[in-house]
Amino acid sequence: MKYKLSIVFLLFASTLWSQDKKEGLPISVKVITTKSYIDGAVELAGFSNSLSDEPGQVIIEIIKPKGGTDNLTTRADKKTGEYALKYTPTEMGKYKVIAYASDKKQTATAEFTVTAELDAADDEVEKLDKAVDKAMIKIEEAIQAAIATDISAPDKEQTKKELQKVKAKISEFKEAGKQIKNALVDAFLLAKKYPELNKTLAAPLGKLSSIAQEKSKELEQVEKTLGANKEKEPNICNTAYVIKESCALLSTVMNVVSKSIITIVDNILIDKGWPKALESLAPQKIEDNDKFLLTQSGKAFLSAKGSLQNLGNVSFGIGIAGDLTQHIMEQLFKKYCAEYKGPLTGDYTLEFKNNGKMYMRYKITYSAKISIYCKKTALNGSSPKLSGYIDGNVTKMEFTDDVWAVEDKSSWDVIKYLRMPAIVPSFNLGEKDPGFGVVARSIVPGSFYFPLEAQMVDGKMVIKLMPAHRELDQTLVNRSLVIVQQKNNPLSLQAEVFSYPITTARFILTRTMRMADASPTVTLDMIKKGEFTTLEKTFTRTETPADTKVDFNLKLMMSNETKD
């Protein structure tokens, strides 16, 4: 029934050339900059296309708050259809953006609001400061709970020492934030007295505000990540991985922010741009106190940059909690926990037909890591219970379609037919992650993460798939752009993008391993090979409901053998 419903939906969506469809090329637009100031660049981006194989021209009309208009043009990328450009607002208030496709038939709109209050940047820096503090408090609480029981006194003491190292590095980061805020206070005073300084400050401070706001939001995920594990016993085995991921997210955020602040300071002070801007206004009218503020603010900016030079280094930023993470995973987890882990790989192919003719087909290939673990002492009991996860992503997408399998082509000439498979990384993100963590990887379309519960029973491992923490993203969509015109009527150009959403990772995994919907479990034999135990199985399945063919393939291998 699931396949039949999908077919009905796709056939309904594919009734392309009816009267209620818009003519012309599709176009989209969105505002990237979340905080905008007068004289600060606003980033715009979207998707467009063209009638030919050349990049499509995009025309942007911007209606300003006072009614005036500005017009910009750019071209979409030939391969992806994506475009991006910057606009510098000169008035306060609400702006309307209208994007026109190259044939000027379809449009897309967006809005943004500009303020002259640069001191909003100070508020966003303060919010980020508090977000870092809150994330670190949650991480520390999780670590303290994890080492409260079953951990030796020397190991507890070493863990606390590693924790203090991280807190010291965060203090260094916060000191730079303090210097930035000091610099901004003086800068705001000068900008209010000399409005022309906005041209120097607005763009970099708009970027600073946007980044601070974005990263503050990301850090909320630390609490969610740790909270998702709260129903489990807070021992080191159940908590180690979520602590590792939370530390990775905190490190990544601090690394990105540090690099951004260094760049922003350079943009403000490069070639003494700010002093020159002030001096060019009216050198003879600059009061001594203003010169003092200018000097103090410049020194504070440079001091912040100096404090962040180490944090701006990738090895430091990503590794800000590296020693702590290594201690937890290499010392505590390996010492106190038993783990069965290995690769889980597979592919899934879906093909729809209409009266025997192929309408749409896609094949996804995926790669993941599966890990199941518990305290070593638990293995001494009968039927021990374990926890775990599957963390993976799509590594390859193959796609084709033919809308003429369901549409009458006799009245149309095809001008352009462009198939656009969903863009996915070509490798397992977890295997090549330099330390960003699963949360950072989750922004990539095509990634998925499932918690697991397991139990050993009579030489077998019964594994239950729990609700996903991360599913295949809705943006993971295959698309086809079809442009046609009526025969003998070149003015009747019509275009449409067909979108084919991908099914869920849960459906793929449960269906492949023949798990029941109500209780998705799979049972694997535990094979002793010397001193180690392995679990491995290959699943192959084909289903052929009416006009549909679905192929499932999956292979998993786990072992408690440690491979450093």
Side-chain angles (χ1 to χ4, degrees), residues 394-533:
V394 177
T395 58
K396 185 178 181 181
M397 178 69 72
E398 301 172 49
F399 162 69
T400 188
D401 73 334
D402 181 7
V403 300
W404 305 116
V406 293
E407 296 287 349
D408 183 5
K409 188 180 178 182
S410 61
S411 300
W412 304 98
D413 288 326
V414 179
I415 306 301
K416 185 175 185 178
Y417 201 133
L418 178 64
R419 296 179 180 88
M420 298 172 283
I423 298 175
V424 297
S426 60
F427 54 88
N428 184 314
L429 294 169
E431 289 182 354
K432 297 187 178 182
D433 187 348
F436 292 119
V438 66
V439 178
R441 299 197 299 274
S442 68
I443 65 174
V444 179
S447 59
F448 54 88
Y449 184 97
F450 291 87
L452 302 172
E453 290 184 356
Q455 189 169 14
M456 294 181 186
V457 181
D458 298 330
K460 300 180 183 295
M461 178 87 74
V462 182
I463 303 171
K464 183 176 183 179
L465 189 73
M466 305 303 292
H469 284 182
R470 185 175 75 251
E471 257 290 3
L472 297 182
D473 194 276
Q474 291 182 349
T475 61
L476 189 72
V477 177
N478 294 317
R479 295 182 173 89
S480 284
L481 170 67
V482 185
I483 303 174
V484 299
Q485 66 182 23
Q486 288 181 335
K487 291 183 181 295
N488 303 319
N489 185 4
L491 299 180
S492 62
L493 184 71
Q494 295 190 41
E496 184 66 24
V497 173
F498 286 81
S499 296
Y500 304 98
I502 306 301
T503 192
T504 64
R506 181 179 180 83
F507 175 77
I508 294 173
L509 294 175
T510 56
R511 202 78 171 184
T512 306
M513 292 186 280
R514 300 180 183 272
M515 294 176 167
D517 290 337
S519 181
T521 61
V522 63
T523 301
L524 304 176
D525 293 326
M526 302 182 70
I527 309 299
K528 291 287 290 184
K529 293 183 178 181
E531 59 182 309
F532 302 112
T533 300

Side-chain angles (χ1 to χ4, degrees), residues 5 28 42 63 108 154 165 170 256 302 318 320 355 496 554 562:
L5 289 175
S28 69
V42 175
I63 302 175
K165 291 180 183 178
I170 289 178
V256 171
L302 290 173
I318 294 176
I320 194 167
N355 295 324
E496 184 66 24
L554 183 151
T562 302

Side-chain angles (χ1 to χ4, degrees), residues 174-365:
K174 289 169 64 66
E175 179 60 30
K178 180 181 177 181
Q179 294 295 337
I180 285 289
K181 285 183 280 187
N182 290 340
L184 291 176
V185 169
D186 293 338
F188 297 151
L189 290 173
L190 289 168
K192 288 178 179 179
K193 191 170 183 178
Y194 305 96
E196 291 84 349
L197 282 177
N198 284 332
K199 294 180 180 180
T200 300
L201 290 172
L205 293 189
K207 184 175 182 180
L208 174 63
S209 298
S210 297
I211 290 172
Q213 185 181 63
E214 174 188 339
K215 298 306 173 184
S216 296
K217 191 73 176 176
E218 285 183 13
L219 284 176
E220 294 177 5
Q221 189 62 40
V222 168
E223 186 170 4
K224 294 178 182 178
T225 299
L226 295 171
N229 214 49
K230 63 183 179 181
E231 73 278 2
K232 297 180 180 179
E233 180 189 350
N235 60 60
I236 192 63
C237 304
N238 284 335
T239 313
Y241 278 107
V242 291
I243 291 174
K244 173 188 174 184
E245 298 299 342
S246 298
C247 287
L249 176 60
L250 179 62
S251 296
T252 300
V253 166
M254 294 176 68
N255 183 55
V256 171
V257 171
S258 300
K259 284 186 170 182
S260 299
I261 290 177
I262 291 172
T263 300
I264 288 164
V265 170
D266 284 341
N267 288 340
I268 293 174
L269 300 179
I270 192 168
D271 295 327
K272 299 183 179 179
W274 185 7
K276 286 183 180 179
L278 187 57
E279 291 170 8
S280 66
L281 299 176
Q284 68 280 11
K285 295 182 180 180
I286 299 177
E287 299 175 6
D288 290 341
N289 187 56
D290 293 339
K291 291 181 180 179
F292 175 76
L293 287 177
L294 178 68
T295 301
Q296 288 299 107
S297 184
K299 287 181 178 179
F301 274 128
L302 290 173
S303 178
K305 178 182 175 181
S307 297
L308 292 173
Q309 288 291 0
N310 284 336
L311 286 168
N313 180 279
V314 173
S315 63
F316 184 91
I318 294 176
I320 194 167
D323 290 344
L324 173 61
T325 301
Q326 185 175 18
H327 170 72
I328 289 174
M329 297 306 301
E330 297 297 321
Q331 302 299 320
L332 303 186
F333 187 84
K334 285 187 176 181
K335 182 176 181 179
Y336 296 99
C337 309
E339 181 182 26
Y340 302 85
K341 63 180 179 179
L344 182 154
T345 58
D347 58 72
Y348 168 82
T349 305
L350 174 63
E351 181 176 336
F352 286 139
K353 292 183 178 181
N354 186 38
N355 295 324
K357 188 176 181 180
M358 191 278 294
Y359 166 51
M360 189 280 298
R361 179 185 184 276
Y362 73 78
K363 177 181 179 180
I364 64 174
T365 303

Side-chain angles (χ1 to χ4, degrees), residues 68-88:
T69 61
D70 287 327
N71 293 289
L72 310 171
T73 61
T74 187
R75 287 193 175 276
D77 182 87
K78 182 177 179 178
K79 292 183 178 180
T80 66
E82 297 176 344
Y83 70 88
L85 73 169
K86 294 182 179 181
Y87 170 74
T88 301

